[in-house]
Amino acid sequence: MAAQQEPIYSLPIPPRMETTLSIAAQRTRLAQVLPAGMLCMALLGAATTLYGPSLIYLSEETGRTPASLGALFVFHWFGFFASTFAANRVARRFEMRQSALIGVALLGAGVLGLIALPYPLNVGSALLVGLGAGMLEVVLNRLIELL
């Protein structure tokens, strides 16, 4: 009889990471994380959805075509993509809750920049929004996974 093989999708978790994640799971309560996570996900969805309608107003305000304002989308999604790779490393270094606060701070700074700054600087603010959104997406999903 052949020995049973482990499934391919099962990867060993390094002991240090397992300890860090179990500490985060012990300190987290469903009643605290779930409403905040749901609110955060709803706000991230609303913020991403509002880019489209706001392009018309932004193009009128800046005198540019909506197609030329596509850089906002590019930088937003580049920030989101980059931060999803960095989020777990940041969470290991600072803990999950502090990583969520870092994501909120990046997102808040980006939103304030989108509101207050003129067009060329808005692109950098879109990058901050993407970085914060990606960080929150990963960290909140990991917190809910650990419950």
Side-chain angles (χ1 to χ4, degrees):
M1 184 171 193
Q4 288 185 344
Q5 295 180 350
E6 280 192 44
I8 296 173
Y9 58 84
S10 136
L11 297 173
I13 298 174
R16 181 171 177 248
M17 185 175 175
E18 189 173 323
T19 305
T20 304
L21 293 178
S22 65
I23 290 170
Q26 290 169 1
R27 293 183 184 171
T28 305
R29 293 191 180 91
L30 182 63
Q32 295 172 340
V33 173
L34 198 57
M38 290 172 62
L39 177 65
C40 219
M41 294 295 179
L43 290 175
L44 289 175
T48 304
T49 304
L50 292 176
Y51 268 130
S54 67
L55 281 180
I56 296 168
Y57 299 111
L58 189 59
S59 70
E60 289 175 2
E61 206 173 285
T62 60
R64 299 179 187 271
T65 64
S68 68
L69 296 172
L72 290 171
F73 289 104
V74 171
F75 278 84
H76 173 93
W77 292 112
F78 177 75
F80 191 93
F81 182 73
S83 68
T84 55
F85 286 111
N88 281 326
R89 292 175 191 232
V90 172
R92 268 188 249 138
R93 176 153 171 88
F94 294 109
E95 265 188 31
M96 300 288 250
R97 288 182 183 185
Q98 289 151 347
S99 300
L101 288 174
I102 290 170
V104 168
L106 287 169
L107 186 66
V111 167
L112 288 176
L114 283 172
I115 292 170
L117 298 174
Y119 171 68
L121 300 175
N122 274 351
V123 175
S125 297
L127 179 70
L128 287 177
V129 169
L131 287 170
M135 179 78 68
L136 284 173
E137 181 86 23
V138 171
V139 170
L140 290 174
N141 280 328
R142 292 298 301 270
L143 280 173
I144 291 171
E145 170 194 341
L146 293 171
L147 295 176

